[in-house]
Amino acid sequence: MFRKVVRQSKFRHVFGQPVKNDQCYEDIRVSRVTWDSTFCAVNPKFLAVIVEASGGGAFLVLPLGKTGRIDKAYPTVCGHTGPVLDIDWCPHNDEVIASGSEDCTVMVWQIPENGLVSPLTEPVVVLEGHTKRVGIVTWHPTARNVLLSAGCDNMVLIWNVGTAEELYRLDSLHPDLIYNVSWNRNGSLFCTACKDKSVRVIDPRRGTLVAEREKAHEGARPMRAIFLADGKVFTTGFSRMSERQLALWDPENFGEPMALQELDSSNGALLPFYDPDTNVVYVCGKGDSSIRYFEITDEPPYIHFLNTFTSKEPQRGMGSMPKRGLEVSKCEIARFYKLHERKCEPIVMTVPRKSDLFQDDLYPDTAGPEAALEAEEWVSGRDASPILISLREAYVPSKQRDLKVNRRNVLSDSRPATAPGTPRPGPSMPVASTNIAALARAGEAGKLEEVMQELQALRGLVREQGERIRRLEEQLGRVENGDA
């Protein structure tokens, strides 16, 4: 089934290890909704999990350090009137998260810096445009405040969250349900997997189909398609005989797959997670108890099986930590958050190394939290690769700025200037809402508390240094008096 030839690779001995029980998140009622979502999203500050909720939809947001048993009364984000189907953290602000729901809306939330202390019911912005449930939300990788949503109305909508408006509506490219959407490295294109068994590469700003492969996988069960860093497309799906498959495609020549591998005949849809820094794809199936990982290379057979992490419990969903949230000193190259029925268990993927020094080959510069473009620049046709940061200094998160929604038409900037005294077309919109002011006040209070904590730490340091100087002076006196 897999090539048995031993090949050189620094990832050949990567091993997965679940954390100890006291570092798991216990007593979480993971959502039972029948949707092939990951149900989990994680970043260097917070873990978000979609949970069971009566009378609407909700998800938990926990600071990463809040492990152990989670109280049943722990506050949730609960503004949706229907079950939440998908959540995604903003790559450019670790305190902003988007959610899509059965209530046909997309909501964007600002999480307080230290986590929730009361239920969060007021989103920063509500995006309404879908006519059926919204099953996919994903942020643009390089442009600030650009969010994509896809629903069961077979439409893809792209929003400027900063102005609460719809930028692009792609409603004629998919004849059936969209299974997933994945942006390419610089956000100029995205690829989709659809129920009609086609994989499509789409230019969102032109609204055109760049490439299409019909029957990428012959089976009728759900597929997934993701963009790799070099522009290739990696897909998971099923064969006609219901065997699970992986495939690698070149969008410039979609005729035949560059590589095709059959895995097994299990039922669960395969969810791929890709690390562009190491070119490793981790594949985990809904209902499986394993994570397989593969290295993608430039030479045949292109997809190289590395290893399998197996455990006893099946997974309900999975979240993947961005590279900047990993423990570099322990040679950790990936961390997954595996959802059980009642808990979330982190699984650490490590490359065994004897040296304690920083491993340059494992940690090339990775995408940082700073956006490369503003939404207006992206709309005007500009593209930019992610702004990279080095992990050598064991990344320290920076102060986040609050998401501000300014309700105006982003496209009005490109209109010719009107003559003085000429009224602008269109109704004027309120600039800010009350919840923005509340967020600003909360941010100021958080800053004050942070300054007070730093002041206390500084006082303690001064006291310690004073004590040390006093001891040194005593020793010096003894030496000078001949006592020592």
Side-chain angles (χ1 to χ4, degrees), residues 10 60 152 203 206 217 249 264 342-343 347-348 418 465:
K10 56 189 170 228
L60 266 178
C152 294
D203 182 332
R206 290 196 177 95
H217 295 275
W249 307 84
D264 53 32
R342 301 283 295 187
K343 77 171 181 178
I347 294 165
V348 176
T418 51
Q465 292 298 334

Side-chain angles (χ1 to χ4, degrees), residues 205-223:
R205 288 169 295 196
R206 290 196 177 95
T208 55
L209 201 60
V210 175
E212 180 178 10
R213 165 66 195 191
E214 296 177 0
K215 294 194 176 177
H217 295 275
E218 297 274 353
R221 289 187 178 147
M223 302 192 309

Side-chain angles (χ1 to χ4, degrees), residues 252-467:
E252 294 180 6
N253 179 18
F254 246 153
E256 288 297 319
M258 295 169 64
L260 180 68
Q261 288 192 8
E262 293 195 342
L263 292 185
D264 53 32
S265 52
S266 293
N267 293 332
L270 290 168
L271 306 175
F273 295 90
Y274 173 61
D275 179 0
D277 301 333
T278 58
N279 257 346
V280 174
V281 175
Y282 302 84
V283 177
C284 44
K286 277 286 190 81
D288 287 10
S289 54
S290 63
I291 302 172
R292 295 180 177 89
Y293 30 110
F294 303 81
E295 187 175 4
I296 311 294
T297 61
D298 293 332
E299 65 273 354
Y302 304 110
I303 302 175
H304 304 272
F305 173 70
L306 290 172
N307 210 335
T308 305
F309 163 80
T310 52
S311 57
K312 294 176 184 175
E313 298 282 329
Q315 55 232 14
R316 297 282 302 278
M318 193 74 76
S320 172
M321 174 66 80
K323 210 55 171 288
R324 57 195 175 88
L326 303 181
E327 289 200 44
V328 175
S329 57
K330 296 181 179 175
C331 293
E332 182 184 359
I333 63 163
R335 192 190 312 152
F336 293 98
Y337 286 74
K338 173 181 171 179
L339 299 184
H340 300 243
E341 200 166 331
R342 301 283 295 187
K343 77 171 181 178
C344 176
E345 175 186 45
I347 294 165
V348 176
M349 297 286 178
T350 308
V351 176
R353 292 278 169 99
K354 290 179 181 175
S355 171
D356 290 336
L357 300 174
F358 179 74
Q359 306 293 315
D360 291 273
D361 60 328
L362 297 184
Y363 301 106
D365 288 355
T366 191
E370 194 54 47
L373 295 171
E374 296 298 327
E376 293 85 351
E377 295 176 294
W378 182 73
V379 169
S380 70
R382 279 190 59 192
D383 290 319
S385 296
I387 295 175
L388 304 182
I389 59 169
S390 170
L391 297 177
R392 182 176 286 276
E393 298 303 322
Y395 175 75
V396 178
S398 57
K399 184 83 178 124
Q400 303 294 335
R401 63 187 196 183
D402 288 353
L403 172 67
K404 296 284 193 294
V405 178
N406 176 22
R407 294 180 186 275
R408 62 170 178 76
N409 188 348
V410 71
L411 300 175
S412 64
D413 292 349
S414 58
R415 293 177 187 163
T418 51
T422 309
R424 280 224 177 242
S428 61
M429 300 289 285
V431 173
S433 55
T434 52
N435 57 328
I436 293 291
L439 285 170
R441 286 197 297 275
E444 290 299 323
K447 285 177 194 166
L448 185 61
E449 186 183 346
E450 192 177 324
V451 169
M452 293 300 291
Q453 286 173 353
E454 286 179 4
L455 194 60
Q456 285 176 340
L458 201 58
R459 281 178 181 156
L461 190 63
V462 169
R463 275 199 299 273
E464 285 175 17
Q465 292 298 334
E467 192 65 29

Side-chain angles (χ1 to χ4, degrees), residues 140 148 156 158 167-173 183-184 186-190 201-211 378-383 411:
H140 192 284
L148 179 151
V156 175
I158 296 173
L167 294 176
Y168 302 103
R169 173 178 290 255
L170 309 174
D171 54 5
S172 59
L173 297 175
W183 291 98
N184 68 352
N186 67 1
S188 59
L189 304 169
F190 63 80
V201 177
I202 294 166
D203 182 332
R205 288 169 295 196
R206 290 196 177 95
T208 55
L209 201 60
V210 175
W378 182 73
V379 169
S380 70
R382 279 190 59 192
D383 290 319
L411 300 175

